[in-house]
Amino acid sequence: MTATTPHVAILGAGIVGTCTALALLDEGYEVTLIDPAAPGGEQSASYGNGAFLSPNSVIPMSMPGLWRQVPFYLLDRHGPLVIRWTSLPRLAPWLIRFLLAGFTEARVRRTAGILSQLLHDGPDLHLALAAKAGVPELIRRDGLLYAYPSRRDFEAEALAWRLRRENGVVWEELDRAALAAREPGLSPAYTFGALVPAGAHCTAPGAYVAALADHAVARGARLLACRATGFRLADGRLQAVETSSGPVACDRAVIAAGMASKQLARALGERIPMEAERGYHVQLELPRSDAGPRAPVMPSDGRMSNTWLDEGLRASGQVELASAGAAPDWRRADILLHHLHATWPGLPRDAVVRRWQGNRPSTPDGLPVIGPSRRSGDVIHAFGHGHVGLAGAPRTAAIVAALMAGRQPPIDAAPFAATRF
């Protein structure tokens, strides 16, 4: 680096932050990653996700008719989406926007098209990243299987699958015999499957993020263990990022700090409507066997990913709308465990079970916030990915790198702008 090399501080060393660090190093920037905790640690959503790298994940949470289910989400503590009564007053403005975002098929179709641009080549980009970082074994393309009790249950989601087809997703339909042959450990209660061959998964999400951070450091990035708290500006130009360890002088900054991004954007005078979609996982510490999935599976009734990781079999999913700082409701994890054993009846019941809860940073319209701050173009937002942070991180990083270099991004970045709120 030279004295004239622009210095970029990246606030957050999760999957989006580390991918962005590598993209900016490719551009020749000096890079500093700022995070109070170790990359890939259990504190981050990047650690606890379902490990899917799915071009299929273009369907937003909010869909037509969802508003009719809100009373059930308030009353049913066992469904895949629950809302805590105590959080409802604070969540109400976000929840209204969330329901309106999916109120019509046209709105959902627009969102799916935008997400497709962000996700469609995610598996390919991660395969290349993992190879460059020296950990190619952490990304596998074995396809992703969506299992249904019957074809009728699959057809009940016709809108979602139609939108996927419109956005280039290809799948193979499996009848009872083909499904049993592919997944012999799967409960016979499932008689229909949709296999997405282009799908991939990460075998150790936390280790993968740590490996990307290590690769960035090996290429010259710095990693600072402190908490970013604000920004020092002069005439709209960034002078430094304020941190718990003092100011870090820099020319540019990227906010990629998960749920903490909301307060960092607020320090710039921006109010981003982002809430925590609190997710859970359970992980059985077991060696891989045909008693579980041969490749990643999502059973439709459980709405959870079932994936063998390096450390065991993980079931991840559920959405709990509550304050980010609220105590975990471990009944949500118990529901996942119950579904996991019902889906794979041959799994041993005496395995060690690890439970985890984390916060997905989610916007009401299901799209991340990517683009310059309104107060200073030297600060770029890259947060709010909800369920698609892992799959969408490489393309997000490419957008940030292009914006910072003054180039046209690889996809239209306008739909992700903070000004949409």
Side-chain angles (χ1 to χ4, degrees):
M1 300 299 176
T2 70
T4 58
T5 301
H7 178 203
V8 183
I10 300 176
L11 316 185
I15 188 62
V16 175
T18 53
C19 286
T20 300
L22 292 169
L24 293 178
L25 288 167
D26 288 342
E27 296 282 341
Y29 291 99
E30 180 183 354
V31 172
T32 298
L33 278 162
I34 299 174
D35 199 301
E42 293 190 20
Q43 79 289 338
S44 65
S46 298
Y47 167 85
N49 59 49
F52 275 34
L53 298 171
S54 177
N56 201 39
S57 299
V58 299
I59 307 303
M61 283 286 296
S62 182
M63 294 285 282
L66 183 68
W67 61 273
R68 299 188 188 96
Q69 304 300 315
V70 170
F72 299 99
Y73 298 147
L74 288 166
L75 297 171
D76 182 6
R77 309 310 301 169
H78 299 283
L81 190 157
V82 299
I83 304 172
R84 286 201 191 181
W85 275 99
T86 53
S87 300
L88 187 57
R90 190 185 59 78
L91 288 171
W94 184 94
L95 189 59
I96 291 170
R97 285 186 168 190
F98 171 73
L99 295 172
L100 289 174
F103 198 73
T104 67
E105 183 174 327
R107 293 179 184 179
V108 174
R109 176 171 278 105
R110 175 182 179 273
T111 301
I114 295 167
L115 286 175
S116 177
Q117 294 297 306
L118 193 69
L119 304 177
H120 73 96
D121 56 354
D124 292 327
L125 296 175
H126 275 294
L127 285 165
L129 270 175
K132 289 180 181 178
V135 287
E137 71 280 1
L138 295 186
I139 303 295
R140 294 183 53 163
R141 175 172 268 156
D142 298 329
L144 301 172
L145 176 63
Y146 298 79
Y148 291 84
S150 68
R151 172 176 275 280
R152 179 176 297 178
D153 293 292
F154 171 76
E155 291 171 348
E157 299 180 5
L159 172 59
W161 286 100
R162 185 167 72 249
L163 293 176
R164 290 175 177 127
R165 179 182 286 113
E166 290 175 5
N167 286 284
V169 176
V170 175
W171 66 89
E172 302 169 11
E173 297 185 0
L174 307 181
D175 61 15
R176 183 195 295 267
L179 188 60
R182 181 177 176 86
E183 293 292 348
L186 186 66
S187 166
Y190 298 95
T191 66
F192 183 84
L195 173 66
V196 180
H201 71 284
C202 179
T203 64
Y208 181 50
V209 173
L212 295 182
D214 288 344
H215 183 48
V217 170
R219 292 183 55 193
R222 289 190 300 161
L223 179 60
L224 297 183
C226 56
R227 186 180 304 279
T229 58
F231 305 89
R232 184 180 299 176
L233 302 175
D235 297 324
R237 300 308 305 270
L238 182 65
Q239 306 296 306
V241 170
E242 302 286 358
T243 79
S244 56
S245 298
V248 176
C250 55
D251 306 293
R252 307 282 184 86
V254 179
I255 303 177
M259 279 304 301
S261 301
K262 182 176 180 178
Q263 290 305 315
L264 289 168
R266 185 75 175 269
L268 293 168
E270 296 180 300
R271 295 177 178 269
I272 306 296
M274 190 168 73
E275 294 292 346
E277 283 189 46
R278 292 155 55 89
Y280 293 80
H281 81 223
V282 293
Q283 194 163 290
L284 305 186
E285 295 187 350
L286 292 169
R288 184 186 293 266
S289 75
D290 278 352
R294 290 180 170 178
V297 174
M298 180 171 288
S300 66
D301 49 350
R303 299 293 179 184
M304 58 178 187
S305 60
N306 297 172
T307 312
W308 280 113
L309 303 183
D310 292 346
E311 314 90 49
L313 177 59
R314 177 179 293 184
S316 177
Q318 306 284 308
V319 172
E320 178 189 45
L321 294 177
S323 299
D329 180 357
W330 293 117
R331 291 175 297 180
R332 309 302 304 163
D334 293 339
I335 292 168
L336 289 171
L337 183 61
H338 172 78
H339 272 295
L340 188 63
H341 281 297
T343 304
W344 309 98
L347 291 173
R349 299 292 179 127
D350 58 352
V352 174
V353 180
R354 297 182 60 193
R355 292 170 169 82
W356 176 92
Q357 184 270 318
N359 298 310
R360 306 180 188 96
S362 299
T363 62
D365 62 2
L367 299 174
V369 182
I370 310 171
S373 163
R374 282 173 284 191
R375 186 171 175 189
S376 173
D378 293 336
V379 182
I380 294 181
H381 301 313
F383 58 83
H385 290 71
H387 295 256
V388 299
L390 180 61
R395 182 58 66 200
T396 298
I399 295 171
V400 171
L403 291 173
M404 200 160 284
R407 297 194 310 270
Q408 185 71 25
I411 65 174
D412 182 12
F416 305 113
T419 52
R420 72 184 191 269
F421 299 119

